[in-house]
Amino acid sequence: MDHIRNFCIIAHIDHGKSTLADRLLEYTNTTTVRDMQAQLLDDMDLERERGITIKSHAIQLKYELEGKKYILNLIDTPGHVDFSYEVSRSIAACDGALLIVDSSQGIQAQTISNLYLAINQGLEIIPILNKIDLPHSMPEEVSDQIIDLIGCDYHEILRASGKTGAGVHNILKAIVHRIPPPKGDMNAPLKALIFDSVFNSFRGIIAYFRVIDGVIKKGDKVKFMSNNSEYLADEVGILGLNPEPRAQISAGDVGYIISGIKEAREVKVGDTITHVERPTADIIHGFEEVKPMVFAGIYPVDTEDFEELRESMYKLQLNDASLTFEPESSAALGFGFRCGFLGMLHMEIIQERLEREFKMTVITTVPNVSYHCYDNKGEMNIVNNPSDLPDANYIDHVEEPFINAQIITHADYVGPILGLCLGKRGILKEQKYLTTTRVEMVFDMPLAEVVFDFFDKLKTISRGYASFDYHPIGYHASDLVKLDILLNKEQVDALSAIIHRDRAYDFGKRICEKLRELIPRHQFEIPVQASIGAKVIARETIKALRKDVTAKCYGGDISRKRKLLEKQKEGKKRMRQVGSVEIPQSAFMAVLKLD
């Protein structure tokens, strides 16, 4: 065990984690020159296209230093705020972390929040300045920021470049010298933590685990403690670039287990594996349950694909434990699922993965957050869907989730960012200068205001410089109303929204205008209305397609023309009572892009 080191890489998005991981793989000869490609660990097409890491990846490196051979288990993690759950899982399986800071951008919000995750788990932190080869890098300034943040000495900060490979050997030496070897007892009963799982269509479910105590051998009978189900370990092994089977995995090491599990629901991330004959007494703690932030309905375009969608969701949940879902039905869209996501990017990625990996075309409804609704009797109901909100005369008050948002930006953009946050009902809590040009601003804000397009707007007004991070702080009472959209006098539940009363009129008017543009014209006139309860607050009309019935009456008396028009009008009225309105998918998504 003295020769094992378990570590992860944490950083803000786009500070060069995956590129540095490539160099570590290259310098430890884990990969050959022929197999080498940029972002080697990012094996999803989506990750390569967008240049972001979505899923954490584990791999074992072999390294020789001063005549001794070491095993380094590396877990590369995502940097975006929506995937911080992946980071927390990776951190639970490690003893140390490389904290990477881009020397041209300095410390950003996600750097700080990922760092706190690691410090709370008691990991040894190795600070690294990356991208020192860039002409506009500021190593001295950024080093001072790191010293202020974690209180280390100046000489402890390593300098490296993932692109050129400078300083990578120093990082490998630091991992061996500074990260402590894992603690554990080889002779104790088996205790292993599942930190990830993937689905393989031939082998079933593959669970990745870290052994805390004991030894797991091929052919052992093992038990998963969350549901007490027992399995046979058909194959255990280590995580190379491709899985490599081994006879046993002992305490301190990271590996995988294949036990022929077919049901996605049986493997829980954060679960404890132990032996059936000699089980461990205590379950591993330190795994927080995932808290979804944004809820949206996902429906199959064709209602017959509902069961297929359910299977796809289970397989996807295996690969992404932060996705939660439950069945629901909608009058407009039929049967589907109410899904919980960690943020808007997460929602977009899930939708895209369903389409690419499982060939499912889906309709997504307007995202919203969950509210606490107190009725006149004082009972509290959780409202995840606007259609679950009772009528106004039964409600005492409604509470919405608030977050504590931390924004780090260049001093030039303080004014516009302040305007944006106050416009989103934010309350400025503190504002402090980290250096002469970098400001940290802390706001309390309603999560519902942040969900839609806050992140995009923040990036736009700060020219990409501001970084944003948040954590929930509980529920506060607000003056909220349910805004319904009526098409041809019929309510469309998939377009309903819960919104602050002050913004309802403006929002309702804009939605009606947008729908008027997007819904195709029918043979009859369609009123598009926004209402709060029985009160209509905005209306637009989609004009009917007009067929010129008077074309054959050239010349002649006006009364003949009028008679034909009246007859047509009667027909249109009848058509309108029977006819239903076709709503394209773009109309459901339009609400997101109102601005």
Side-chain angles (χ1 to χ4, degrees):
M1 276 170 67
D2 290 347
H3 290 198
I4 298 176
R5 300 287 183 274
N6 297 321
F7 70 99
C8 59
I9 302 183
I10 55 177
H12 188 80
I13 189 166
D14 208 20
H15 278 205
K17 295 178 293 301
S18 300
T19 313
L20 200 64
D22 289 349
R23 292 296 85 73
L24 292 173
L25 294 179
E26 207 176 292
Y27 283 30
T28 52
N29 300 325
T30 307
T31 170
T32 59
V33 176
R34 191 179 65 188
D35 294 338
M36 193 61 207
Q37 54 173 345
Q39 279 104 26
L40 187 63
L41 292 179
D42 293 351
D43 48 14
M44 231 184 283
D45 297 344
L46 262 178
E47 293 181 312
R48 299 189 159 280
E49 280 168 28
R50 291 173 176 241
I52 55 176
T53 304
I54 292 168
K55 189 153 177 44
S56 52
H57 300 270
I59 190 164
Q60 190 169 95
L61 320 172
K62 293 186 174 52
Y63 180 59
E64 197 170 318
L65 182 66
E66 295 156 8
K68 290 184 188 164
K69 290 186 174 166
Y70 292 94
I71 290 175
L72 313 178
N73 289 312
L74 152 70
I75 303 180
D76 178 27
T77 63
H80 195 280
V81 61
D82 281 9
F83 303 112
S84 56
Y85 186 63
E86 288 280 331
V87 182
S88 73
R89 287 168 23 194
S90 311
I91 284 173
C94 294
D95 303 298
L98 305 183
L99 176 73
I100 294 183
V101 182
D102 181 338
S103 62
S104 62
Q105 295 189 28
I107 283 176
Q108 293 188 287
Q110 211 46 37
T111 318
I112 297 176
S113 80
N114 287 344
L115 172 71
Y116 287 154
L117 282 175
I119 290 175
N120 291 343
Q121 287 278 354
L123 302 197
E124 177 66 37
I125 309 286
I126 299 178
I128 297 169
L129 271 186
N130 195 17
K131 307 194 186 180
I132 53 165
D133 58 311
L134 291 182
H136 53 277
S137 78
M138 315 170 288
E140 301 304 326
E141 280 180 45
V142 180
S143 296
D144 291 341
Q145 290 175 21
I146 294 175
I147 292 166
D148 286 346
L149 183 64
I150 57 178
C152 60
D153 290 340
Y154 184 77
H155 63 268
E156 287 177 16
I157 301 172
L158 304 176
R159 296 189 180 190
S161 163
K163 193 157 132 198
T164 62
V168 175
H169 282 301
N170 295 338
I171 294 176
L172 287 163
K173 283 178 192 159
I175 291 168
V176 171
H177 292 315
R178 284 157 65 173
I179 292 178
K183 301 179 186 69
D185 184 355
M186 303 276 262
N187 305 316
L190 172 68
K191 184 162 76 170
L193 166 80
I194 299 180
F195 65 87
D196 206 353
S197 57
V198 292
F199 181 78
N200 181 316
S201 44
F202 303 108
R203 311 290 309 264
I205 286 153
I206 305 174
Y208 296 165
F209 60 86
R210 156 148 184 210
V211 185
I212 311 285
D213 292 326
V215 176
I216 184 168
K217 297 189 173 96
K218 185 182 174 176
D220 280 354
K221 284 191 83 175
V222 294
K223 180 167 82 169
F224 287 18
M225 291 182 79
S226 70
N227 52 9
N228 279 331
S229 29
E230 298 178 5
Y231 304 101
L232 194 70
D234 295 340
E235 184 183 303
V236 294
I238 59 160
L239 302 161
L241 213 49
N242 298 308
E244 298 169 25
R246 292 280 187 272
Q248 66 172 49
I249 308 272
S250 47
D253 215 343
V254 172
Y256 70 89
I257 176 170
I258 299 177
S259 48
I261 304 173
K262 294 285 185 287
E263 280 291 319
R265 283 155 277 197
E266 292 175 31
V267 179
K268 280 203 172 75
V269 169
D271 199 358
T272 309
I273 307 178
T274 188
H275 279 134
V276 174
E277 277 94 38
R278 194 174 157 223
T280 176
D282 53 335
I283 294 177
I284 302 164
H285 291 293
F287 245 89
E288 53 189 72
E289 275 292 304
V290 55
K291 296 187 200 72
M293 290 288 178
V294 176
F295 293 86
I298 287 187
Y299 294 84
V301 170
D302 196 347
T303 30
E304 289 155 17
D305 298 341
F306 176 71
E307 282 304 321
E308 210 176 309
L309 180 63
R310 186 199 297 266
E311 280 311 303
S312 307
M313 297 284 268
Y314 277 125
K315 286 175 185 170
L316 199 53
Q317 193 178 33
L318 252 191
N319 209 323
D320 182 349
S322 50
L323 169 69
T324 56
F325 61 90
E326 56 186 39
E328 73 161 3
S329 64
S330 146
L333 301 169
F335 289 103
F337 292 97
R338 186 99 203 130
C339 305
F341 307 98
L342 297 183
M344 289 297 276
L345 178 70
H346 187 206
M347 175 177 133
E348 208 178 301
I349 295 288
I350 292 288
Q351 196 181 344
E352 204 151 316
R353 285 182 69 182
L354 278 172
E355 286 181 8
R356 285 188 186 197
E357 294 171 29
F358 303 101
K359 307 285 183 285
M360 295 296 308
T361 39
V362 293
I363 293 178
T364 315
T365 63
V366 183
N368 60 357
V369 297
S370 72
Y371 298 92
H372 288 176
C373 171
Y374 290 84
D375 59 19
N376 297 336
K377 297 173 187 162
E379 290 174 12
M380 192 267 280
N381 300 307
I382 293 177
V383 177
N384 282 338
N385 194 341
S387 57
D388 298 343
L389 195 72
D391 291 338
N393 48 344
Y394 296 113
I395 298 174
D396 181 48
H397 67 280
V398 182
E399 293 184 346
E400 62 177 332
F402 267 67
I403 55 168
N404 179 266
Q406 175 195 33
I407 296 171
I408 296 179
T409 178
H410 195 279
D412 296 353
Y413 308 115
V414 171
I417 288 174
L418 201 60
L420 172 70
C421 295
L422 296 179
K424 297 273 187 189
R425 298 193 284 135
I427 302 157
L428 182 65
K429 285 294 179 188
E430 65 171 317
Q431 177 177 339
K432 61 180 184 212
Y433 279 78
L434 302 173
T435 65
T436 49
T437 55
R438 292 174 73 73
V439 186
E440 179 186 11
M441 303 162 82
V442 180
F443 293 89
D444 283 354
M445 297 173 78
L447 180 63
E449 298 283 345
V450 178
V451 162
F452 282 129
D453 50 1
F454 179 78
F455 197 66
D456 297 344
K457 282 187 177 169
L458 180 70
K459 286 287 178 203
T460 309
I461 60 178
S462 67
R463 300 197 187 148
Y465 277 110
S467 60
F468 172 66
D469 183 47
Y470 63 84
H471 59 267
I473 53 170
Y475 283 74
H476 299 299
S478 293
D479 183 13
L480 299 167
V481 292
K482 180 178 161 203
L483 183 77
D484 290 318
I485 301 295
L486 309 173
L487 286 179
N488 199 7
K489 309 259 174 77
E490 284 182 17
Q491 188 184 329
V492 183
D493 56 355
L495 288 171
S496 297
I498 296 174
I499 192 162
H500 197 271
R501 191 183 295 274
D502 296 350
R503 301 192 51 199
Y505 290 87
D506 179 43
F507 187 73
K509 187 164 172 24
R510 293 210 317 251
I511 285 192
C512 290
E513 285 169 359
K514 195 79 176 174
L515 290 176
R516 189 190 68 197
E517 292 165 20
L518 288 169
I519 294 176
R521 287 168 70 180
H522 289 54
Q523 293 283 338
F524 50 93
E525 193 176 88
I526 304 169
V528 181
Q529 296 164 309
S531 73
I532 298 173
K535 184 181 178 191
V536 174
I537 58 169
R539 167 175 171 146
E540 293 287 332
T541 308
I542 300 172
K543 292 274 180 262
L545 283 169
R546 175 141 185 257
K547 183 182 173 192
D548 191 1
V549 286
T550 59
K552 58 179 182 276
C553 301
Y554 49 90
D557 187 15
I558 184 73
S559 60
R560 286 178 59 200
K561 286 188 180 176
R562 192 162 293 145
K563 190 175 162 190
L564 278 171
L565 287 171
E566 287 298 324
K567 194 172 165 191
Q568 183 189 31
K569 201 168 166 187
E570 284 299 311
K572 294 228 166 182
K573 226 181 225 167
R574 215 167 26 249
M575 199 182 220
R576 175 165 151 188
Q577 282 158 2
V578 181
S580 65
V581 183
E582 298 272 312
I583 310 173
Q585 159 77 9
S586 57
F588 289 107
M589 297 317 288
V591 188
L592 306 186
K593 304 184 174 68
L594 274 183
D595 299 344

